[in-house]
Amino acid sequence: MNPINALHVPAPAPAPTDDHGATAVVRERRLTAHPQPSPMPADEVTAQIDALLGQRHAVVFIGFSGLGYEHPGHVCARARQVLDAALRDHGQEGVAMIIGGTTEGIGMLYEVVANDPLYREVLCVGVVSEQVRRECPQSLSPACADALVVVPDPGGTWEVRDATGAYSYTPYPAQSGRGEVWVFGGGQVAAAEVECAHGQGVDVQLVDARPQPELLAGKLRQGKTPQQLMPINSRYFTAAQGPA
């Protein structure tokens, strides 16, 4: 038996469609890694991540959390395509999906993977600030309960940085050609992760995904600006730039 077939590589996921059933136009851009990446720390967090991943190919997803998505089906369909390609190309060594540990927003992909037998070989990993476990442990996804990396966060920043504050553990699994980073929009924390990934020598694939309109409108009424709430969309997908 072909070993790849034995891994139950799924058929390609369907392309995203709009509300009328037509294929949706999804804009994407690629942010090329910095040519001189910052060094990787060797500490307890990176050691835990390495132990969990082993030789697996890492697929890191970054995106909105509390604001959700205007078209979650589009996000799930594109993410499935990414995971399908990873299983096709890296099925022998295995595939791990890394998100921020919670079920909100981009964290909906945990449920997609956990409930689909076609993805049963995909390891679900969460890399999360200890602030989440202190403040809202109920938001943690059970799908990554056995592969949860909790990062010290003495400043309560909700970010997953090393002791210097300059290095992010989110893109770490994809460094040195070990994986890939996909970003489906996101707020300030996600934007910071994109900058870190770029500086840490990781190419980033950006997808123009928008937040849930009602939730976005509520934040705008509180005085927030679109640039504050959806900085990735504002920075990389303005009308003047267009799709890359």
Side-chain angles (χ1 to χ4, degrees):
M1 179 182 291
N2 187 318
I4 292 296
N5 290 336
L7 290 171
H8 304 287
V9 177
T17 58
D18 61 21
D19 295 336
H20 303 287
T23 300
V25 177
V26 180
R27 299 193 301 171
E28 298 186 4
R29 302 182 68 91
R30 189 168 186 82
L31 181 62
T32 305
H34 193 283
Q36 296 180 325
S38 56
M40 294 184 288
D43 56 23
E44 292 182 4
V45 175
T46 56
Q48 184 181 359
I49 293 172
D50 289 341
L52 285 170
L53 297 186
Q55 298 301 313
R56 292 180 178 89
H57 177 79
V59 180
V60 180
F61 288 120
I62 298 171
F64 289 109
S65 55
L67 284 180
Y69 284 97
E70 181 178 15
H71 299 294
H74 294 182
V75 175
C76 290
R78 188 68 182 99
R80 281 179 176 272
Q81 291 174 338
V82 173
L83 291 170
D84 293 350
L87 284 169
R88 182 189 65 237
D89 298 338
H90 304 280
Q92 295 287 357
E93 62 265 38
V95 173
M97 180 182 73
I98 297 92
I99 318 180
T102 68
T103 58
E104 295 181 315
I106 195 68
M108 66 185 170
L109 297 178
Y110 283 127
E111 184 176 2
V112 170
V113 169
N115 292 337
D116 192 332
L118 294 175
Y119 297 123
R120 60 176 170 264
E121 290 90 10
V122 176
L123 174 67
C124 292
V125 179
V127 180
V128 63
S129 158
E130 65 180 358
Q131 186 77 357
V132 175
R133 195 154 69 174
R134 283 198 301 259
E135 299 292 334
C136 48
Q138 72 281 358
S139 70
L140 292 170
S141 172
C144 62
D146 295 329
L148 186 66
V149 180
V150 180
V151 179
D153 185 12
T157 64
W158 299 84
E159 296 183 328
V160 287
R161 304 294 185 96
D162 69 352
T164 70
Y167 185 91
S168 172
Y169 295 111
T170 297
Y172 170 74
Q175 282 192 255
S176 302
R178 300 186 303 173
E180 53 198 290
V181 174
W182 288 77
V183 181
F184 291 81
Q188 295 293 334
V189 172
E193 299 290 7
V194 169
E195 293 302 317
C196 285
H198 170 71
Q200 291 169 208
V202 180
D203 290 345
V204 177
Q205 190 70 24
L206 302 160
V207 181
D208 187 15
R210 304 298 172 120
Q212 207 275 345
E214 288 77 13
L215 295 176
L216 175 63
K219 292 292 185 181
L220 292 172
R221 286 193 294 270
Q222 295 173 12
K224 300 285 187 178
T225 67
Q227 291 74 21
Q228 291 173 316
L229 296 170
M230 35 192 289
I232 292 171
N233 309 76
S234 300
R235 187 175 305 168
Y236 298 106
F237 293 103
T238 63
Q241 288 174 314

